[in-house]
Amino acid sequence: MAEHAVVIMGLPESGKTTFLAALWHLVTARDSDIKTALRFDNLRSGGVAHLNGISARWREARVQDRTSVSDHRIVSMNLLDANGTSMKVTFPDLSGEVYRRMWEERDCEPEVVKTLNAEGVLLFIHADTIQRPRWVVDEAAFSKALDMAARKEKAPEVAAQEKKDVPWHPGRAPTQVQLVDLLQLLCLPPLDVDIGPRRLAIMLSAWDKVGEEGLGPDDYLKEKLPLLGQYLRSGADGWIWRVYGLSAQGGDYDDPEKPDVEPNPEAEKLRDLDRPSERIELFQDSSTPSHDLTEPLAWLMK
């Protein structure tokens, strides 16, 4: 049996758990005739109760519980390819806080290191919440405008007292800076894997929120995350990479922690679908979406 390890990476709230929930539903529910690149064989480890739980919330169009920092779940399953060959796929359901800590605190727990020694990487980026670079010229003009407004409204001594420098913090760095650093860390000891070039599938989640801009996934990466795109195209660390646009939710979900809020119309519409798998939309080269979440996994395992 061929064995492949795939690690799911991404900053907090980038769509990792939603992907796993939708994937579990797709390979086990059989609610449609969607042809998938890989078929489910059996679950080796990972806790079927956990997978069923997050999958149920996905079907019910409800926001997932945020994965705990200390809750390192390892999901391992056997998938069958088109030839019926069984492949063991292992990937951890790690909190985005783990990756935030790697960037901000330069810290990584030993048990996390083991899970990151995978030959395939699914890197999730929430396409609608990218923290863009802030140019010095724009910042200077903005600060000057704010300062002038403050001086008009307040006495000079009060305005001067309130004008304080905000200390820099790693969490304020642009999204692309944080992601490039994480990918570079994977290519350095003790996280590097001595198996040759590694495969990287970039998953631009919440694609339904940005798809109307008319850009394909590759062009979106080039325009919105130019540093990340340049890093990958330069081949500096030898990544074999591909970009996908993914809408695994299909719209905005209801938040169970806010019971007093009216149900979201998009969530209501999604719950009315006879085949939940068809809310999944995956874009790569074509403008026609696929519903097959196993496609990136199949590519990573080539």
Side-chain angles (χ1 to χ4, degrees):
M1 177 190 300
E3 294 194 7
H4 299 270
V6 175
V7 61
I8 301 178
M9 295 185 64
L11 298 173
E13 300 183 27
S14 56
K16 301 180 297 298
T17 301
T18 298
F19 171 84
L20 186 56
L23 175 67
W24 182 245
H25 172 85
L26 180 67
V27 299
T28 60
R30 307 182 188 279
D31 66 351
S32 70
D33 56 357
I34 295 173
K35 184 176 178 58
T36 58
L38 300 173
R39 294 179 290 112
F40 180 71
D41 188 9
N42 58 70
L43 181 68
R44 297 175 62 96
S45 65
V48 68
H50 166 63
L51 291 170
N52 286 341
I54 62 175
S55 183
R57 291 174 75 96
W58 176 80
R59 284 192 299 272
E60 295 164 1
R62 304 189 188 282
V63 175
Q64 296 287 344
D65 291 328
R66 194 169 181 179
T67 309
S68 170
V69 177
S70 60
D71 195 5
H72 304 330
R73 293 187 177 92
I74 305 297
V75 176
S76 180
M77 64 181 75
N78 290 335
L79 298 174
L80 302 173
D81 64 13
N83 298 319
T85 303
S86 182
M87 300 182 180
K88 177 186 175 184
V89 184
T90 301
F91 42 91
D93 184 14
L94 297 179
S95 165
E97 295 296 330
V98 169
Y99 303 112
R100 180 199 61 78
R101 182 183 296 171
M102 288 173 61
W103 158 251
E104 294 185 9
E105 303 174 19
R106 321 309 285 173
D107 177 67
C108 186
E109 299 175 9
E111 57 267 31
V112 174
V113 171
K114 295 178 182 178
T115 66
L116 295 179
N117 291 141
E119 63 265 35
V121 177
L122 277 171
L123 177 62
F124 280 81
I125 305 170
H126 195 294
D128 196 37
T129 59
I130 293 172
Q131 191 163 293
R132 305 288 297 277
R134 303 176 71 173
W135 305 110
V136 174
V137 174
D138 295 335
E139 284 292 294
F142 184 62
S143 297
K144 184 177 180 180
L146 287 179
D147 187 47
M148 291 176 64
R151 289 177 182 277
K152 288 181 180 179
E153 296 178 4
K154 301 177 181 179
E157 61 273 13
V158 176
Q161 184 178 1
E162 292 183 352
K163 185 180 178 182
K164 298 179 181 179
D165 292 332
V166 177
W168 183 82
H169 186 274
R172 297 191 179 95
T175 300
Q176 59 182 348
V177 173
Q178 300 184 46
L179 295 176
V180 169
D181 183 78
L182 287 174
L183 291 177
Q184 289 177 325
L185 288 176
L186 288 185
C187 299
L188 296 172
L191 300 178
D192 60 330
V193 180
D194 189 18
I195 58 170
R198 299 167 81 176
R199 289 192 171 232
L200 169 69
I202 297 176
M203 312 297 289
L204 297 172
S205 63
W207 190 251
D208 53 302
K209 300 293 185 182
V210 300
E212 293 183 357
E213 295 189 29
L215 297 172
D218 283 298
D219 289 335
Y220 195 87
L221 179 76
K222 186 183 299 184
E223 181 170 317
K224 307 296 184 180
L225 298 160
L227 177 66
L228 177 59
Q230 291 167 19
Y231 162 72
L232 293 171
R233 288 193 299 274
S234 72
D237 289 319
W239 290 102
I240 300 171
W241 58 284
R242 177 177 286 187
V243 189
Y244 294 89
L246 172 65
S247 174
Q249 289 193 176
D252 292 329
Y253 284 7
D254 290 332
D255 190 343
E257 296 183 1
K258 300 177 181 178
D260 297 332
V261 177
E262 289 291 325
N264 190 299
E266 289 188 10
E268 293 280 9
K269 184 178 179 180
L270 291 170
R271 282 191 284 269
D272 289 338
L273 290 176
D274 292 331
R275 297 176 174 178
S277 297
E278 294 181 358
R279 76 174 68 161
I280 300 167
E281 291 191 335
L282 181 72
F283 296 85
Q284 207 259 315
D285 293 328
S286 171
S287 59
T288 302
S290 164
H291 301 300
D292 182 14
L293 282 184
T294 72
E295 183 181 323
L297 293 175
W299 178 78
L300 286 173
M301 293 188 292
K302 286 184 178 179

